[in-house]
Amino acid sequence: MSSTPGPNRHPLVLASGRAHPELAKNVAKELGIDLLGVSAYDFANSETYVRFSESVRGMDLFLLQSHTMPVNQWIMEQLLMVDAAKRASAHSVTVVAPFFGYARQDKKSRGREPISARLIADLFKTAGADRLMSVDLHTAQIQGFFDGPVDHLWAMPILVDYVRSRVDVDNVTVVSPDAGRIRVAEIWASKLGGGPLAFVHKTRDVTRPNQSVANRVVGDVQGKDCVLVDDLIDTGGTIAEAVKVIMAAGAKSVTVAATHGVLSGPARQRLTECGAREVVVTDTLPIPEDRRFESLKVLSIAPLLASAINEVHSDGSVTSLFDGNS
């Protein structure tokens, strides 16, 4: 069940909610431990019940739950697990949310709106979480929403290693889907050999969710193997339109690389038909068969999560996993 690297170390325990059990099993395997048993079910009125099957007293407990659909249910289940752990005298509780729910609602675009990402962070702190761990938050500022340590992991090393093997690094242009992610694209470009950058100029109506218009490409993509990078793909509209604009500008090919494959609604059809050579994501979220397609490649995030958990538990450096950039 647990791992104890030293005689004075609190045992490491990993537990999971019901949102993404396959990822939790893979992380446990990487850590060389068994998952803590958890009893979880829903009452007839949809309320959730959770209970740990073994004692967690004095443990360093890592609670893994990725906020997939239905997002509200899985956030609530994880909150209840945090509360149960604190009431059972766990030494520390780290919320591991590979995909952090409501992360896109990180500011007020108009008056009388909530800052939902801040609320979710506050809820976890109030429930008793000591630490938060997530992968590629929508914006880095969310780290400041939680009153405690936040481990912001990057999937970039995993994605870059794969993409490097699939493109001609001497002919690559890295493309950002908008001007706001140019810094991420710059890091990608440096890791792929220092090629040129481009970005897609787009407009978005804040009153219409999941909709934006890709207007044109700023930068040289003519004859290039383009790598379009983003943090997540939800309905696929933004990415699909960006791919079409890039190809229309004369690109040789477009490979899409994103951390989180939300892939809701029409995403499968849009991504299949947009002209991308390959769409690469990680398994921070479960991707059922009915959302998969031939050009989709899903990479495992479990080794990264396991390494970060080990670093936290052994008082090591999570930043060292990312060349000091995390």
Side-chain angles (χ1 to χ4, degrees), residues 43-108:
F43 290 105
N45 70 344
S46 80
E47 290 180 2
T48 299
Y49 172 88
V50 297
R51 180 179 182 271
F52 300 113
S53 61
E54 301 175 50
S55 173
V56 295
R57 184 181 299 275
M59 306 288 189
D60 284 337
L61 180 58
F62 292 79
L63 295 176
L64 193 153
Q65 182 91 302
S66 203
H67 303 160
T68 187
M69 295 179 284
V71 175
N72 296 340
Q73 178 180 0
W74 301 134
I75 289 175
M76 190 67 202
E77 183 175 271
Q78 195 172 26
L79 286 166
L80 293 171
M81 293 173 69
V82 173
D83 184 75
K86 295 302 287 189
R87 294 179 187 279
S89 301
H91 174 258
S92 69
V93 178
T94 298
V95 166
V96 183
F99 180 78
F100 188 78
Y102 289 91
R104 282 174 284 182
Q105 300 180 42
D106 62 323
K107 61 183 179 297
K108 291 175 66 173

Side-chain angles (χ1 to χ4, degrees), residues 36-212:
L36 177 70
V38 178
S39 175
Y41 55 82
D42 299 321
F43 290 105
N45 70 344
S46 80
E47 290 180 2
T48 299
Y49 172 88
V50 297
R51 180 179 182 271
F52 300 113
S53 61
E54 301 175 50
S55 173
V56 295
R57 184 181 299 275
M59 306 288 189
D60 284 337
L61 180 58
F62 292 79
L63 295 176
L64 193 153
Q65 182 91 302
S66 203
H67 303 160
T68 187
M69 295 179 284
V71 175
N72 296 340
Q73 178 180 0
W74 301 134
I75 289 175
M76 190 67 202
E77 183 175 271
Q78 195 172 26
L79 286 166
L80 293 171
M81 293 173 69
V82 173
D83 184 75
K86 295 302 287 189
R87 294 179 187 279
S89 301
H91 174 258
S92 69
V93 178
T94 298
V95 166
V96 183
F99 180 78
F100 188 78
Y102 289 91
R104 282 174 284 182
Q105 300 180 42
D106 62 323
K107 61 183 179 297
K108 291 175 66 173
S109 299
R110 296 185 296 163
R112 301 182 299 280
E113 288 182 342
I115 302 179
S116 306
R118 171 60 191 266
L119 173 61
I120 299 302
D122 285 345
L123 287 171
F124 280 117
K125 185 64 178 181
T126 300
D130 299 293
R131 192 180 195 100
L132 181 66
M133 180 181 293
S134 191
V135 182
D136 284 339
L137 292 165
H138 188 60
T139 54
Q141 71 198 43
I142 294 174
Q143 295 174 80
F145 291 177
F146 182 76
D147 186 16
V150 176
D151 300 300
H152 186 202
L153 313 183
W154 288 7
M156 188 183 295
I158 296 170
L159 292 165
V160 167
D161 283 349
Y162 178 80
V163 170
R164 189 188 290 116
S165 69
R166 304 289 290 174
V167 299
D168 179 2
V169 294
D170 295 323
N171 189 49
V172 165
T173 292
V174 177
V175 185
S176 171
D178 53 52
R181 296 190 67 79
I182 284 291
R183 174 57 184 152
V184 174
E186 287 177 342
I187 300 173
W188 263 88
S190 68
K191 291 182 178 295
L192 289 176
L197 289 172
F199 73 90
V200 177
H201 179 268
K202 70 179 183 182
T203 55
R204 182 184 298 275
D205 184 347
V206 297
T207 67
R208 304 177 68 186
N210 296 114
Q211 292 191 37
S212 64

